[in-house]
């Protein structure tokens, strides 16, 4: 299975576990890390609504907890007719561990519907380099 197929399968499985009783909008995400491992997550809502978290955030947390620091590519598996692209906050969270050319695939049940680079979704972004700290390299 190629990397996109692996991310698709992992994101679809995560989406099926989404906890979204309030929006009823289930999202899964899966990323491939620099060394080719797949990390997945789903949205987890909360009765105190602002405390809900996005699928992409969960996938990134899983990667970090395993000790990795670089996103090679990420796939978002959503529902509905519109493309489910990462929200603004998640674009910035992806930015922390990716670069301008990192691919962001947007998928639905029928497969990948569109692919973007991070620079397309978050142009002229602010990142770890601005703080001169090396960010993910530390
Ligand atoms: N959501 C995600 O998990 N990822 C996205 O890319 C878009 C939105 C979630 C947040 C919330 O639980 C629900 O979808 C509706 O906004």
């Amino acid at each position: 299975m190629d990397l996109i197929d692996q991310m698709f399968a992992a994101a679809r499985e995560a989406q099926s576990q989404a906890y979204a009783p309030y929006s009823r909008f289930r999202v899964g995400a899966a990323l491939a890390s620099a060394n080719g491992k797949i990390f997945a997550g789903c949205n987890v809502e909360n009765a105190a609504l602002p405390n809900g978290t996005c699928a992409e955030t969960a996938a990134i947390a899983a990667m970090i907890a395993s000790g990795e620091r670089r996103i090679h590519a990420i796939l978002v598996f959503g529902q509905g007719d519109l493309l489910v692209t990462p929200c603004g906050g998640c674009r910035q969270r992806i930015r922390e561990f990716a670069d301008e050319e990192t691919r962001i695939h947007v998928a639905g049940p029928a497969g990948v519907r569109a692919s973007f680079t991070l620079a397309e979704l978050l142009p002229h972004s602010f990142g770890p380099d601005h703080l001169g700290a090396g960010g993910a390299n530390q």
Side-chain angles (χ1 to χ4, degrees), residues 7 11 28 46 62 72-73 86 89:
M7 288 191 290
N46 191 280
H72 169 69

Side-chain angles (χ1 to χ4, degrees), residues 1-17 28-31 38-41 75-77 107-109 111-112:
M1 223 197 290
D2 80 12
L3 211 49
I4 292 184
D5 291 339
Q6 288 180 51
M7 288 191 290
F8 181 82
R12 182 176 54 189
E13 170 62 22
Q15 193 239 16
S16 76
Q17 306 294 349
L31 65 83
I38 305 288
F39 298 94
L75 182 146
V76 183
F77 186 107
V112 173

Side-chain angles (χ1 to χ4, degrees), residues 19-20 23-28 42-45 52-57 76 84-87 90:
Y19 178 74
S23 72
R24 309 229 170 254
F25 192 81
R26 302 160 79 88
V27 184
C42 60
N43 55 332
V44 182
E45 297 184 349
T53 49
C54 286
E56 296 90 327
T57 298
V76 183
V84 180
T85 48
C87 77
C90 283

